[in-house]
Amino acid sequence: MFIINKLKQISVAWYFLIVILLVYFFLFIFKQDLFFQSTAFFNSVIFKIIPIFVLVFVLMSITNYFVTPKFVSKHLNEKGVKKWIYIIIGGVLSTGPIYMWYPLLADLKNKGLSYGLIACFLYNRGIKITLLPIAIFYFGWKYVLVLSLAMIFVSIIQGILLNKLIK
Amino acid sequence: MKQAITKAGKGLWKAFPMILGTVLFISLASVLIPKSFYTTIFSKNIFFDSVIGSSIGSISAGNPITSYIFGGEFLTQGVSLLAVTAFLVAWVTVGLIQLPAESAILGKRFAFLRNITAFILAIFVALITTLILRVF
């Protein structure tokens, strides 16, 4: 029973890693050429991204320190266009799992926040400031900049659309 | 500040097995799967490629870093930037996994409409992004 409970506490991500490691283990035994080709590719990728993770860690710490749900809800009480700007900034800067924000958004909904603004907030969560170094590493700064701006623009469209669809 | 650093550390540690597993998985896939496989899924048709990219992104879940790794690899395998962009955007804006929680807390109609529009808009974002990049 104790072991079953312990196993239930392990996240799916760890099971995924264990399965992949087992595949590599069997490859090492039965298909060494494939194993060495794959590990060579793995090394080339992992050593490039490790330094970027250090930067991501620093950015995440800074964001966690300054942007809290309390900070966001405080600034969402603005009016007019300013409200949309704060919603976008709030969405971009918000951290943590998305479901963590649902109760706060539901509470703000009860306090008068429109569905469009909630959708706009959630859409802008897709732009991850803390992960920008990795995105730039893979796709270049120009692409990341254009994509981020396009997403901000479209988040407003989605907000307006949902305000019209849900009345 | 200590709390913020700990939270960041925990966040990265939580993502660690998925990121490591993904890089290992992609390393294996890059050796096992021929380039032609990707070109058969993505037809080089602007509309279908972006729909396929958005669909794969919608049903996928996890840390966005994983999507960058996959997206980067898709690009090197010859998949179009349009499809990869739709994939990346849908990954972070469509949440099929969180749909039950979103419906329960924010309402079924809202959750359904938000995810449907996010799926369609992922294609739109991909179109805008690739068009702007082509001009500049």
Side-chain angles (χ1 to χ4, degrees), chain A residues 10-25, chain B residues 17 21:
Chain A
I10 300 170
S11 78
V12 180
W14 282 103
Y15 285 117
F16 171 66
L17 178 61
I18 291 164
V19 168
I20 296 283
L21 287 173
L22 278 174
V23 172
Y24 271 78
F25 175 72

Side-chain angles (χ1 to χ4, degrees), chain A residues 11-14 16-17 20-21 23-24 27 33-34 37-39 41-43 45-46 49 53 56-57 60-62 64-65 67 69 95-100 102-103 105-106 109 115-116 118-119 122-123 125-128 131-132 134-135 138-139 142-143 146-147 150-151 153-154 157-158 161-162 165-167, chain B residues 1-9 11-14 16-32 63-65 67-69 71-73 75 81 84-86 88-89 92-93 95 98-99 101-102 105-107 109-110 113-115 117-118 121-122 124-126 128-130 132-133 136:
Chain A
S11 78
V12 180
W14 282 103
F16 171 66
L17 178 61
I20 296 283
L21 287 173
V23 172
Y24 271 78
L27 274 182
D33 54 331
L34 264 181
Q37 278 177 48
S38 302
T39 47
F41 187 93
F42 172 79
N43 289 338
V45 175
I46 211 77
I49 59 173
F53 274 102
V56 168
F57 176 70
M60 279 174 85
S61 302
I62 295 168
N64 286 339
Y65 185 71
V67 186
T95 54
I98 194 162
Y99 48 81
M100 195 184 90
Y102 292 154
L105 293 171
K109 172 79 197 71
Y115 276 121
I118 294 173
L122 292 173
Y123 204 93
R125 278 183 47 83
I127 304 165
K128 306 274 181 202
L131 303 182
L132 283 186
I134 298 179
Y138 275 103
F139 308 104
K142 202 171 156 186
Y143 172 82
V146 173
L147 177 65
M151 283 180 75
F153 172 67
V154 167
I157 294 178
Q158 193 191 30
L161 209 64
L162 280 189
L165 290 169
I166 312 170
K167 284 200 172 169
Chain B
M1 193 65 197
K2 197 183 163 191
Q3 223 177 355
I5 294 169
T6 313
K7 197 181 164 194
L12 275 182
W13 176 246
K14 214 175 159 189
F16 168 76
M18 192 48 92
I19 294 164
L20 190 65
T22 304
V23 178
L24 280 166
F25 175 74
I26 284 174
S27 306
L28 190 60
S30 69
V31 176
L32 286 175
N63 197 300
I65 299 171
S67 73
Y68 302 153
I69 301 168
E73 190 52 29
L75 277 181
L81 188 63
V84 171
T85 308
L88 293 175
V89 177
V92 289
T93 58
Q98 300 94 348
L99 198 61
E102 192 176 338
I105 301 169
L106 295 168
R109 191 170 156 80
F110 169 79
L113 285 171
R114 193 193 73 77
N115 282 284
T117 49
L121 289 169
F124 185 56
V125 171
I128 300 174
T129 308
T130 45
I132 293 173
L133 286 170
F136 296 102

Side-chain angles (χ1 to χ4, degrees), chain A residues 85-142:
Chain A
I85 295 168
Y86 277 112
I87 280 285
I88 291 166
I89 296 169
V92 171
L93 294 180
S94 63
T95 54
I98 194 162
Y99 48 81
M100 195 184 90
W101 292 87
Y102 292 154
L104 170 78
L105 293 171
D107 184 49
L108 289 170
K109 172 79 197 71
N110 293 333
K111 287 173 185 161
L113 195 74
S114 69
Y115 276 121
L117 285 166
I118 294 173
C120 184
F121 177 89
L122 292 173
Y123 204 93
N124 280 292
R125 278 183 47 83
I127 304 165
K128 306 274 181 202
I129 292 277
T130 52
L131 303 182
L132 283 186
I134 298 179
I136 292 168
F137 168 76
Y138 275 103
F139 308 104
W141 68 268
K142 202 171 156 186

